[in-house]
Amino acid sequence: MHMHKFEKIWLIFGVGALLVFLSVLGVSAFYLGNQPPSCLATIDQEKVDTLPPFNEPGLKKVEGKDWDYELIFVAAAFAYTPGEVEVPLGAKVKVIATTKDVIHGFQVAGTNINMMLEPGYISEYVTTFDKAGEYLILCNEYCGMGHHMMTSKIEVVE
Amino acid sequence: MGIATEKLNVDRRDGRLVMAHFYVAFIALAVGGLAGLLQVLVRSGKFELPLGIGYYQVLTVHGVVLGLVLTTFFIMGFQIAAVSRTSGTLTNKQRVIGWIGFWLMTAGTIMAAVMILLNEATVLYTFYAPLQAHAIYYLGLTFVVVGSWFDGAAIILAYSKWRKAHPGTPSPLLTFMAVVNTLMWIVATIGVATTVLFQLLPWSLGLVDRVDVLLSRTLFWYFGHPLVYFWLLPAYMCWYAIIPKIIGGKIFSDSLARLSFILFLLFSIPVGFHHQLTEPGIDPAWKFLQVVLTFLVIIPSLMTAFSLFATFESFGRSRGARGLFGWVRELPWGDARFSVPFIGMLSFIPAGAGGIINASHQMNQVVHNTIWVTGHFHLTLATAVILTFFGISYWLVPHLTGRKLTKAMNKLAIIQGVLWAIGMTFMSGAMHAAGLLGAPRRSSFSEYGGAPQAAEWIPYQIAQAVGGSILFLAIILMLYIFINLAFFAPKGEQDFPVGEVADEAEKAPMVFENWKLWLGITVVLILFAYTIPLIDMIENAPIGSKGYKLW
């Protein structure tokens, strides 16, 4: 099968760029630990309110962990609990969330906190809040009539 | 390519089967386009739906009729026409199988449509459990898929007949491409058929109480990504094998075109996790593996881009063009059959770049489920693919109805394409920008409790409404052109252009038609990418979900 010289150059360049790109992603994921939220823990979605840590939604200071705080959210059609929360500036926080009913999309607008909440599973993401201000939390996966009314708020304060 | 044995016209009986598919496709365009207009108007915040119609009901209509109905009917119709033109008229048996497919798909479409209109299936076209639609909705979608298998069977039977009659000769390029796309479609739809038949149908009928949500989503996305290549490959058929003839040039390389289609077959399917990157319950190492496989389709995409522009440049230079870009002026810009698909090709450059961002393991978090994604697939499907389908219709519809594309219609077609480009620049551009600011997709107008961030998105939503309205005008023009070409254009002979290979290109190696080999590798890749994560998912599954009807 004949391949034009220019096409060979084009493909070598393209495949080379692809390899560099994939290496960057790979190093970021496996060496720097920048993995997408992929918590493997499960939960009985019908008993979320009675099971720790979801029986006490909100911000909690923790000791002896890689992060300073745990921020617990419970989603249900069509609201998040808590409806509003304050986080100190610069805090390293593990956001832990789950749903009591259908799938929701937990997104903190303007940040990289963006994870699917699926019934029976816990979702987690560790992040640092290094910019003060008010952040909107919304639902970005269709969950029914009131999907676009589902909100909460994170206030990052000094 | 066995040009001497080709029949130059599609037989009238095959033509009727193809046109039946196209009528449904263009009715879907009208209905889905209207739904799209209503959505952008609602999201501008200046308009409310009358008669208690829900935003999400309209959104379900839009996704189902454009994403599933328009595409599947048009593609199957076009592929049957391409096979009939290049491998000979279908036998009566093959044509009957095609008609069975058409009627099954049509019946399924009507079933799903009735359920959506009755507000029994406001679950969008992705129907994620545990939102539970009426069983007839799932059954209707099953009929659409099963019907498409019948159409696919007609294509494969026609190919096998040609294959047996021409041992040692590579099959006609368009037939080969239609067969690759059909095989990919069959392998991919097994996933969605499995979740619908074994999970969602029994659950919606009340035979079982609970459904495994993550498993169902995984089976859906096993199908959902090859679905987008099922849309794209027919456009590539036109770009590789038809456009060269329209401009008066040659196919750059028959073998490389086949190779790129085989690569799409291999790398389109074991990649569904890149739609599930932010989901719990899947190990990130498996996500990364599928990210790598996803990016391998960049190779055939680069080959395609090279091949197309090589055809254009060779043609321009053969006409005496000089300088680095002199050949651009030689292209037939006044011919809608070329210029409208060309707008589609151009749109695929930013569309492909956006796709790379979406599938990037970590970067996905920035854009996942934001309206950026909607902006992305309105460049891929709703510009690159659909403008190519329109470009095909300009000659294929009159070819099949024994009419001609008149100069006036050609002009209107170009205006339609330009309007589309303008409207989409506004709409998709504003969607990409708002998505980066965090605006979600699939959401009705909301001020999110007066949040300042949400207020920033509203000007972009107004830009989307402006773009969407221009697009709706373009759709009306397209429907007018289609009706003209189908019923009113003057009688005559409109050519079905089939590209010829450049002189220096040699015969394609027969290994490309070793289906056992290619399907074998496809299956091995799928098993490699999915077996262990699926076992993990099933072994560690939570209790499962009851159904919810929250609309």
Side-chain angles (χ1 to χ4, degrees):
Chain A
M1 199 169 56
H2 163 81
M3 195 181 268
H4 193 280
K5 193 178 99 196
F6 287 165
E7 180 157 21
K8 279 185 194 148
I9 296 171
W10 164 254
L11 284 181
I12 288 168
F13 175 76
V15 173
L18 181 60
L19 288 176
V20 171
F21 185 78
L22 285 174
S23 310
V24 170
L25 294 189
V27 168
S28 174
F30 295 99
Y31 183 68
L32 301 174
N34 293 320
Q35 295 282 12
S38 307
C39 178
L40 300 173
T42 56
I43 188 172
D44 182 341
Q45 72 271 19
E46 283 157 20
K47 297 184 185 135
V48 164
D49 285 335
T50 62
L51 295 171
F54 300 103
N55 52 357
E56 286 178 58
L59 190 72
K60 269 191 302 190
K61 182 105 180 91
V62 293
E63 302 293 338
K65 295 187 177 171
D66 282 348
W67 46 89
D68 314 316
Y69 293 90
E70 287 181 353
L71 180 53
I72 316 296
F73 274 99
V74 175
F78 302 104
Y80 286 113
T81 315
E84 197 178 336
V85 69
E86 278 192 6
V87 176
L89 181 68
K92 193 172 183 190
V93 178
K94 184 179 212 177
V95 184
I96 306 173
T98 194
T99 167
K100 297 201 301 190
D101 43 44
V102 294
I103 296 171
H104 298 284
F106 184 90
Q107 181 193 338
V108 184
T111 74
N112 291 343
I113 307 168
N114 189 349
M115 52 195 187
M116 304 297 296
L117 309 182
E118 294 179 14
Y121 290 90
I122 297 169
S123 293
E124 296 177 346
Y125 188 67
V126 179
T127 187
T128 304
F129 289 91
D130 48 16
K131 225 174 120 191
E134 185 186 313
Y135 293 89
L136 167 67
I137 302 176
L138 52 83
C139 175
N140 69 16
E141 185 62 88
Y142 170 66
C143 58
M145 279 266 281
H147 162 57
H148 53 287
M149 309 306 280
M150 221 173 136
T151 69
S152 179
K153 198 160 77 175
I154 293 180
E155 197 113 35
V156 179
V157 292
E158 300 198 31
Chain B
M1 278 189 50
I3 288 152
T5 60
E6 274 171 22
K7 217 167 161 293
L8 292 177
N9 289 313
V10 175
D11 187 274
R12 292 310 286 272
R13 292 163 298 170
D14 292 351
R16 275 194 288 275
L17 174 60
V18 175
M19 282 306 293
H21 284 80
F22 284 5
Y23 293 135
V24 178
F26 281 89
I27 291 169
L29 176 68
V31 175
L34 180 64
L37 176 70
L38 294 174
Q39 283 157 240
V40 289
L41 292 179
V42 168
R43 280 193 79 140
S44 75
K46 312 275 183 212
F47 172 83
E48 277 175 31
L49 289 170
L51 311 168
I53 301 168
Y55 175 82
Y56 298 105
Q57 197 177 357
V58 175
L59 183 55
T60 306
V61 170
H62 184 75
V64 170
V65 302
L66 295 184
L68 300 176
V69 177
L70 163 67
T71 49
T72 310
F73 277 83
F74 187 90
I75 290 166
M76 285 305 175
F78 169 56
Q79 292 188 153
I80 288 170
V83 170
S84 171
R85 165 72 172 77
T86 56
S87 292
T89 305
L90 301 187
T91 63
N92 287 336
K93 189 179 123 202
Q94 290 159 6
R95 199 175 308 109
V96 167
I97 292 173
W99 277 110
I100 294 172
F102 169 78
W103 284 112
L104 276 175
M105 296 196 333
T106 305
T109 301
I110 293 167
M111 287 159 73
V114 168
M115 287 302 115
I116 297 168
L117 293 179
L118 293 175
N119 202 23
E120 291 289 336
T122 303
V123 292
L124 311 189
Y125 91 94
T126 44
F127 48 83
Y128 295 139
L131 286 173
Q132 190 183 54
H134 196 287
I136 292 177
Y137 176 73
Y138 300 120
L139 207 58
L141 295 182
T142 307
F143 274 39
V144 173
V145 168
V146 173
S148 74
W149 289 346
F150 275 83
D151 275 354
I155 290 168
I156 291 170
L157 286 172
Y159 164 75
S160 328
K161 181 166 169 268
W162 192 97
R163 182 72 279 144
K164 279 199 196 93
H166 303 77
T169 315
S171 55
L173 184 57
L174 278 171
T175 296
F176 174 86
M177 291 170 151
V179 169
V180 171
N181 199 32
T182 302
L183 290 175
M184 184 189 75
W185 176 246
I186 291 169
V187 176
T189 44
I190 291 170
V192 72
T194 306
T195 181
V196 168
L197 292 177
F198 295 103
Q199 291 191 285
L200 303 179
L201 256 183
W203 173 68
S204 63
L205 288 168
L207 301 177
V208 293
D209 258 0
R210 292 173 184 272
V211 70
D212 184 335
V213 171
L214 183 59
L215 182 63
S216 171
R217 281 174 71 83
T218 303
L219 289 168
F220 181 87
W221 282 115
Y222 162 92
F223 150 82
H225 199 70
L227 171 68
V228 309
Y229 287 107
F230 171 69
W231 299 334
L232 185 62
L233 291 188
Y236 276 23
M237 286 166 70
C238 171
W239 297 356
Y240 265 116
I242 290 170
I243 291 283
K245 180 74 175 180
I246 289 174
I247 66 171
K250 301 274 188 197
I251 296 174
F252 180 67
S253 165
D254 177 277
S255 307
L256 290 173
R258 287 173 204 253
L259 175 63
S260 88
F261 266 62
I262 291 291
L263 292 175
F264 276 115
L265 170 68
L266 302 184
F267 297 124
S268 291
I269 304 167
V271 298
F273 282 172
H274 75 245
H275 290 261
Q276 300 180 278
L277 286 172
T278 67
E279 284 184 38
I282 305 170
D283 191 286
W286 287 107
K287 290 178 179 174
F288 188 78
L289 175 89
Q290 294 207 7
V291 164
V292 173
L293 289 171
T294 303
F295 281 116
L296 293 183
V297 295
I298 289 174
I299 298 168
S301 303
L302 289 175
M303 288 168 59
T304 306
F306 186 92
S307 183
L308 298 178
F309 283 89
T311 296
F312 298 156
E313 188 177 340
S314 317
F315 166 72
R317 294 201 187 283
S318 75
R319 297 271 296 254
R322 287 152 173 268
L324 204 51
F325 292 107
W327 50 271
V328 175
R329 245 176 299 145
E330 298 295 329
L331 296 170
W333 299 109
D335 186 342
R337 299 172 307 158
F338 164 74
S339 51
V340 173
F342 186 84
I343 297 172
M345 291 177 201
L346 282 189
S347 78
F348 206 66
I349 298 170
I356 292 174
I357 293 172
N358 299 343
S360 296
H361 204 54
Q362 302 89 349
M363 241 187 304
N364 175 263
Q365 265 165 275
V366 181
V367 294
H368 175 73
N369 271 357
T370 68
I371 201 159
W372 159 287
V373 177
T374 317
H376 165 70
F377 64 72
H378 278 80
L379 285 184
T380 52
L381 172 61
T383 307
V385 169
I386 209 71
L387 284 186
T388 304
F389 289 1
F390 291 168
I392 291 168
S393 309
Y394 299 149
W395 51 262
L396 184 51
V397 172
H399 177 87
L400 298 175
T401 54
R403 296 175 191 276
K404 271 197 90 66
L405 175 70
T406 59
K407 275 197 175 135
M409 280 301 134
N410 180 63
K411 205 170 194 177
L412 215 51
I414 292 175
I415 295 172
Q416 185 277 132
V418 172
L419 263 186
W420 196 281
I422 296 169
M424 195 55 84
T425 305
F426 275 100
M427 192 177 88
S428 176
M431 284 173 164
H432 277 91
L436 285 181
L437 296 174
R441 69 185 283 200
R442 296 182 150 182
S443 299
S444 186
F445 179 77
S446 174
E447 292 176 321
Y448 290 100
Q453 282 175 308
E456 285 178 31
W457 305 334
I458 292 174
Y460 293 100
Q461 284 158 207
I462 290 172
Q464 287 159 29
V466 171
S469 305
I470 297 172
L471 283 165
F472 187 68
L473 290 179
I475 287 177
I476 292 174
L477 265 186
M478 184 61 224
L479 291 168
Y480 176 75
I481 297 167
F482 176 79
I483 292 167
N484 176 277
L485 295 176
F487 304 108
F488 301 107
K491 297 270 181 196
E493 284 252 323
Q494 179 78 41
D495 185 35
F496 186 138
V498 176
E500 290 152 31
V501 184
D503 301 331
E504 66 262 61
E506 79 283 24
K507 193 182 114 171
M510 289 307 289
V511 66
F512 287 134
E513 294 183 53
N514 187 341
W515 302 109
K516 277 185 197 137
L517 173 68
W518 304 121
L519 284 176
I521 299 176
T522 304
V523 170
V524 167
L525 281 171
I526 292 168
L527 291 177
F528 175 51
Y530 271 111
T531 308
I532 295 176
L534 273 180
I535 291 173
D536 278 349
M537 233 173 254
I538 293 165
E539 276 189 340
N540 303 315
I543 55 167
S545 282
K546 292 182 172 159
Y548 290 86
K549 193 172 177 244
L550 296 174
W551 62 87

